[in-house]
Amino acid sequence: DSSVVPPNAAVETASQSLSIQVVGTLSIVTTSLPNGVVGATYNQTLSVSGGTSPFTWALIAGSLPAGLSLSSAGVLSGTPTTTGSSSFDVEVTDSTVVPGVQMDSQSLAILVTLAAPTGLSGVAASGSIALSWGTVSGAAGYKVYYGDSSGAYSGTGATEGSSPIDVPGAGSNSLTLTGLTNGSTHFLAVTSYDAGLVESAYSAELPSVPQSSTSFTQTKQAPGGVTVAAFRMISFPVTPSSGGFDDLKDDLGPYDPR
Protein backbone atom coordinates (compact mmCIF):
# COMPACT_ATOMS: atom_id res chain seq x y z
CA ASP A 1 0.00 0.00 0.00
CA SER A 2 1.63 3.23 -1.19
CA SER A 3 -0.06 5.25 1.54
CA VAL A 4 1.86 3.52 4.25
CA VAL A 5 4.88 5.53 5.43
CA PRO A 6 8.00 3.39 5.91
CA PRO A 7 9.24 3.37 9.51
CA ASN A 8 12.52 5.06 8.66
CA ALA A 9 11.12 7.68 6.24
CA ALA A 10 11.95 11.35 6.87
CA VAL A 11 9.04 13.50 8.28
CA GLU A 12 8.77 17.19 7.40
CA THR A 13 7.30 19.65 9.94
CA ALA A 14 6.37 23.35 9.84
CA SER A 15 5.56 25.95 12.51
CA GLN A 16 3.87 29.33 12.58
CA SER A 17 3.58 31.93 15.36
CA LEU A 18 0.04 33.13 16.00
CA SER A 19 -1.39 35.79 18.29
CA ILE A 20 -4.86 36.35 19.64
CA GLN A 21 -6.03 39.82 20.53
CA VAL A 22 -8.70 39.92 23.21
CA VAL A 23 -10.86 43.01 22.79
CA GLY A 24 -13.38 44.15 25.39
CA THR A 25 -17.00 44.47 24.44
CA LEU A 26 -17.74 47.78 22.75
CA SER A 27 -19.95 49.96 24.95
CA ILE A 28 -21.05 53.60 24.77
CA VAL A 29 -20.02 55.38 27.97
CA THR A 30 -21.88 58.67 27.36
CA THR A 31 -25.36 58.39 28.84
CA SER A 32 -26.29 62.07 29.27
CA LEU A 33 -25.40 65.39 27.68
CA PRO A 34 -25.20 68.97 29.04
CA ASN A 35 -27.80 71.55 28.10
CA GLY A 36 -27.27 73.82 25.15
CA VAL A 37 -27.93 77.56 24.97
CA VAL A 38 -29.46 79.38 22.02
CA GLY A 39 -26.73 81.27 20.18
CA ALA A 40 -23.86 79.67 22.12
CA THR A 41 -21.36 77.20 20.63
CA TYR A 42 -21.96 73.57 21.62
CA ASN A 43 -19.24 70.88 21.42
CA GLN A 44 -19.37 67.45 23.06
CA THR A 45 -17.49 64.26 22.13
CA LEU A 46 -19.25 60.93 22.70
CA SER A 47 -17.17 58.27 24.48
CA VAL A 48 -16.89 54.46 24.36
CA SER A 49 -15.09 51.69 26.21
CA GLY A 50 -13.74 48.48 24.70
CA GLY A 51 -13.76 47.75 20.99
CA THR A 52 -11.10 48.51 18.41
CA SER A 53 -10.56 52.05 17.19
CA PRO A 54 -11.21 53.92 15.04
CA PHE A 55 -14.93 54.06 15.75
CA THR A 56 -17.71 55.18 13.44
CA TRP A 57 -20.74 56.99 14.82
CA ALA A 58 -24.15 57.53 13.25
CA LEU A 59 -27.54 59.01 14.15
CA ILE A 60 -30.05 56.16 13.82
CA ALA A 61 -33.28 57.61 15.26
CA GLY A 62 -34.80 60.91 16.38
CA SER A 63 -33.38 64.32 15.56
CA LEU A 64 -30.74 66.65 16.93
CA PRO A 65 -31.52 70.19 18.09
CA ALA A 66 -31.65 72.67 15.23
CA GLY A 67 -28.13 73.90 14.52
CA LEU A 68 -26.30 70.79 15.79
CA SER A 69 -24.77 67.87 13.88
CA LEU A 70 -23.05 64.56 14.70
CA SER A 71 -19.76 63.70 12.96
CA SER A 72 -18.67 60.13 12.19
CA ALA A 73 -16.00 60.64 14.89
CA GLY A 74 -18.71 61.11 17.51
CA VAL A 75 -18.54 64.88 17.94
CA LEU A 76 -21.78 66.77 18.56
CA SER A 77 -21.20 70.37 17.57
CA GLY A 78 -22.79 73.54 16.27
CA THR A 79 -24.81 76.48 17.57
CA PRO A 80 -28.39 75.80 18.73
CA THR A 81 -30.98 78.11 17.21
CA THR A 82 -34.20 77.21 19.06
CA THR A 83 -35.15 76.17 22.59
CA GLY A 84 -36.63 72.82 23.51
CA SER A 85 -35.71 69.20 24.22
CA SER A 86 -34.54 66.81 21.48
CA SER A 87 -34.30 63.02 21.92
CA PHE A 88 -32.30 60.79 19.57
CA ASP A 89 -30.44 57.47 19.28
CA VAL A 90 -26.81 57.08 18.21
CA GLU A 91 -24.90 53.98 17.14
CA VAL A 92 -21.17 53.25 17.16
CA THR A 93 -19.28 50.55 15.27
CA ASP A 94 -15.63 49.65 15.76
CA SER A 95 -13.05 48.60 13.12
CA THR A 96 -13.04 44.83 13.63
CA VAL A 97 -12.48 42.60 10.57
CA VAL A 98 -16.08 41.45 10.57
CA PRO A 99 -18.29 44.56 10.28
CA GLY A 100 -21.16 44.76 12.71
CA VAL A 101 -19.71 42.31 15.22
CA GLN A 102 -18.75 45.09 17.61
CA MET A 103 -21.44 47.77 17.82
CA ASP A 104 -23.57 49.52 20.44
CA SER A 105 -26.37 52.08 20.55
CA GLN A 106 -27.55 54.64 23.10
CA SER A 107 -30.57 56.93 23.58
CA LEU A 108 -29.64 60.54 24.40
CA ALA A 109 -31.32 63.93 24.81
CA ILE A 110 -30.26 67.58 24.74
CA LEU A 111 -32.23 70.44 26.30
CA VAL A 112 -31.66 73.85 24.70
CA THR A 113 -32.55 76.92 26.77
CA LEU A 114 -32.29 80.67 26.47
CA ALA A 115 -29.26 82.40 27.92
CA ALA A 116 -29.24 83.19 31.62
CA PRO A 117 -29.78 86.86 32.50
CA THR A 118 -26.66 88.93 33.09
CA GLY A 119 -25.95 92.09 35.04
CA LEU A 120 -27.96 91.18 38.14
CA SER A 121 -27.67 93.98 40.69
CA GLY A 122 -29.49 94.98 43.84
CA VAL A 123 -29.97 97.97 46.13
CA ALA A 124 -30.61 96.96 49.74
CA ALA A 125 -32.72 99.08 52.07
CA SER A 126 -34.62 98.43 55.28
CA GLY A 127 -36.34 95.06 54.80
CA SER A 128 -36.04 95.16 51.02
CA ILE A 129 -33.79 94.57 48.03
CA ALA A 130 -34.51 96.26 44.68
CA LEU A 131 -33.27 93.98 41.90
CA SER A 132 -32.59 94.65 38.23
CA TRP A 133 -31.04 92.60 35.41
CA GLY A 134 -30.44 92.63 31.67
CA THR A 135 -33.19 91.34 29.39
CA VAL A 136 -32.67 88.19 27.30
CA SER A 137 -33.61 87.96 23.63
CA GLY A 138 -36.58 85.63 23.14
CA ALA A 139 -37.59 85.61 26.81
CA ALA A 140 -41.27 85.53 27.77
CA GLY A 141 -40.45 86.26 31.40
CA TYR A 142 -38.11 85.71 34.31
CA LYS A 143 -38.02 83.98 37.69
CA VAL A 144 -36.37 85.45 40.77
CA TYR A 145 -34.87 82.97 43.22
CA TYR A 146 -33.77 83.80 46.75
CA GLY A 147 -32.63 81.97 49.87
CA ASP A 148 -30.57 82.15 53.04
CA SER A 149 -27.57 80.16 51.81
CA SER A 150 -25.50 80.21 48.63
CA GLY A 151 -26.97 78.05 45.88
CA ALA A 152 -30.02 77.06 47.94
CA TYR A 153 -32.91 79.21 46.74
CA SER A 154 -35.79 78.06 48.93
CA GLY A 155 -36.64 81.40 50.53
CA THR A 156 -40.13 81.99 51.93
CA GLY A 157 -39.95 85.33 53.76
CA ALA A 158 -40.58 87.89 50.99
CA THR A 159 -43.96 89.64 50.82
CA GLU A 160 -44.00 88.97 47.06
CA GLY A 161 -44.05 85.21 47.66
CA SER A 162 -41.89 82.14 48.07
CA SER A 163 -38.94 81.46 45.78
CA PRO A 164 -39.08 81.47 42.82
CA ILE A 165 -41.15 84.57 42.04
CA ASP A 166 -42.49 84.84 38.50
CA VAL A 167 -41.85 88.11 36.63
CA PRO A 168 -43.77 87.74 33.34
CA GLY A 169 -43.10 89.89 30.29
CA ALA A 170 -40.26 90.05 27.78
CA GLY A 171 -39.18 93.51 28.96
CA SER A 172 -39.62 92.90 32.68
CA ASN A 173 -36.21 93.26 34.25
CA SER A 174 -36.75 94.45 37.82
CA LEU A 175 -38.39 93.39 41.07
CA THR A 176 -38.26 94.68 44.63
CA LEU A 177 -38.39 92.06 47.36
CA THR A 178 -39.90 93.34 50.61
CA GLY A 179 -40.52 91.88 54.04
CA LEU A 180 -36.95 90.60 54.29
CA THR A 181 -35.00 90.25 57.54
CA ASN A 182 -32.59 93.10 58.20
CA GLY A 183 -29.00 92.14 58.85
CA SER A 184 -29.33 88.73 57.18
CA THR A 185 -27.57 87.86 53.95
CA HIS A 186 -29.94 86.89 51.16
CA PHE A 187 -28.64 85.06 48.08
CA LEU A 188 -30.39 85.84 44.82
CA ALA A 189 -30.37 84.63 41.22
CA VAL A 190 -32.57 85.08 38.14
CA THR A 191 -33.49 82.79 35.24
CA SER A 192 -35.20 83.48 31.92
CA TYR A 193 -37.86 81.36 30.25
CA ASP A 194 -39.38 81.16 26.78
CA ALA A 195 -43.00 80.89 25.64
CA GLY A 196 -42.90 77.15 26.29
CA LEU A 197 -41.70 77.78 29.88
CA VAL A 198 -38.29 76.22 29.16
CA GLU A 199 -36.12 77.79 31.85
CA SER A 200 -32.50 78.86 31.56
CA ALA A 201 -29.66 78.24 33.97
CA TYR A 202 -29.25 80.59 36.94
CA SER A 203 -27.65 83.99 36.53
CA ALA A 204 -24.56 84.79 38.55
CA GLU A 205 -25.51 84.78 42.24
CA LEU A 206 -25.96 88.07 44.10
CA PRO A 207 -25.59 88.25 47.90
CA SER A 208 -27.32 91.23 49.53
CA VAL A 209 -28.01 92.36 53.12
CA PRO A 210 -31.01 94.58 53.96
CA GLN A 211 -30.21 97.10 56.74
CA SER A 212 -32.41 99.08 59.11
CA SER A 213 -32.64 102.86 58.65
CA THR A 214 -32.25 105.31 61.55
CA SER A 215 -33.29 108.97 61.62
CA PHE A 216 -32.87 111.80 64.07
CA THR A 217 -33.88 115.44 64.37
CA GLN A 218 -31.34 118.17 64.93
CA THR A 219 -32.48 121.56 66.22
CA LYS A 220 -30.77 124.93 66.10
CA GLN A 221 -31.66 128.28 67.60
CA ALA A 222 -32.15 130.82 64.83
CA PRO A 223 -31.86 134.61 65.24
CA GLY A 224 -34.88 136.14 66.98
CA GLY A 225 -35.46 133.19 69.25
CA VAL A 226 -37.06 130.99 66.58
CA THR A 227 -36.23 127.31 66.89
CA VAL A 228 -35.51 125.64 63.57
CA ALA A 229 -35.87 121.86 63.37
CA ALA A 230 -33.95 120.08 60.64
CA PHE A 231 -34.75 116.44 59.80
CA ARG A 232 -31.90 114.37 58.47
CA MET A 233 -32.16 110.68 57.43
CA ILE A 234 -29.09 108.55 57.93
CA SER A 235 -29.04 104.86 56.87
CA PHE A 236 -26.53 102.64 58.62
CA PRO A 237 -26.35 99.25 60.36
CA VAL A 238 -27.31 99.57 64.03
CA THR A 239 -25.20 97.24 66.17
CA PRO A 240 -24.55 97.00 69.94
CA SER A 241 -21.02 98.28 69.36
CA SER A 242 -22.22 101.49 67.68
CA GLY A 243 -21.09 104.70 69.28
CA GLY A 244 -24.69 105.95 69.35
CA PHE A 245 -26.23 109.21 68.29
CA ASP A 246 -23.82 111.46 70.17
CA ASP A 247 -20.88 110.09 68.21
CA LEU A 248 -22.91 110.29 64.99
CA LYS A 249 -23.76 113.92 65.71
CA ASP A 250 -20.08 114.71 66.27
CA ASP A 251 -19.19 113.01 62.97
CA LEU A 252 -21.79 115.01 61.05
CA GLY A 253 -20.83 118.32 62.58
CA PRO A 254 -23.12 121.29 63.34
CA TYR A 255 -26.26 121.65 61.25
CA ASP A 256 -26.04 124.33 58.59
CA PRO A 257 -29.52 125.40 57.33
CA ARG A 258 -27.98 126.71 54.12
Side-chain angles (χ1 to χ4, degrees):
D1 188 344
S2 59
S3 63
V4 177
V5 179
N8 298 323
V11 178
E12 294 184 359
T13 61
S15 63
Q16 175 67 46
S17 296
L18 299 174
S19 64
I20 299 176
Q21 181 181 8
V22 179
V23 178
T25 302
L26 179 64
S27 178
I28 297 176
V29 175
T30 303
T31 57
S32 63
L33 292 165
N35 293 349
V37 176
V38 171
T41 301
Y42 190 92
N43 191 293
Q44 289 291 316
T45 300
L46 304 180
S47 300
V48 299
S49 65
T52 303
S53 62
F55 306 102
T56 302
W57 294 82
L59 179 69
I60 59 173
S63 59
L64 298 174
L68 297 188
S69 62
L70 173 65
S71 73
S72 60
V75 179
L76 282 164
S77 62
T79 302
T81 58
T82 58
T83 59
S85 180
S86 297
S87 299
F88 52 92
D89 294 345
V90 295
E91 182 180 77
V92 63
T93 305
D94 76 354
S95 56
T96 51
V97 176
V98 183
V101 171
Q102 284 275 62
M103 63 192 312
D104 191 25
S105 62
Q106 178 68 48
S107 296
L108 297 169
I110 297 176
L111 176 65
V112 178
T113 71
L114 295 175
T118 59
L120 178 61
S121 62
V123 177
S126 180
S128 68
I129 302 173
L131 297 171
S132 62
W133 57 86
T135 57
V136 175
S137 176
Y142 304 87
K143 290 188 178 182
V144 173
Y145 289 78
Y146 68 97
D148 297 330
S149 57
S150 179
Y153 307 121
S154 56
T156 58
T159 304
E160 291 67 32
S162 299
S163 176
I165 299 171
D166 188 25
V167 185
S172 301
N173 67 334
S174 63
L175 176 70
T176 298
L177 296 178
T178 59
L180 303 178
T181 303
N182 288 327
S184 296
T185 302
H186 299 271
F187 298 87
L188 307 110
V190 180
T191 63
S192 64
Y193 61 83
D194 65 5
L197 303 183
V198 176
E199 198 171 352
S200 75
Y202 293 123
S203 67
E205 186 177 82
L206 174 71
S208 187
V209 184
Q211 298 287 5
S212 60
S213 298
T214 303
S215 63
F216 70 95
T217 301
Q218 183 182 44
T219 60
K220 183 172 182 176
Q221 193 72 28
V226 179
T227 300
V228 178
F231 179 80
R232 184 177 299 183
M233 176 68 78
I234 306 296
S235 296
F236 62 96
V238 178
T239 63
S241 60
S242 172
F245 291 106
D246 289 338
D247 289 349
L248 178 63
K249 180 183 66 177
D250 294 339
D251 292 339
L252 292 173
Y255 170 68
D256 184 351
R258 296 175 298 174

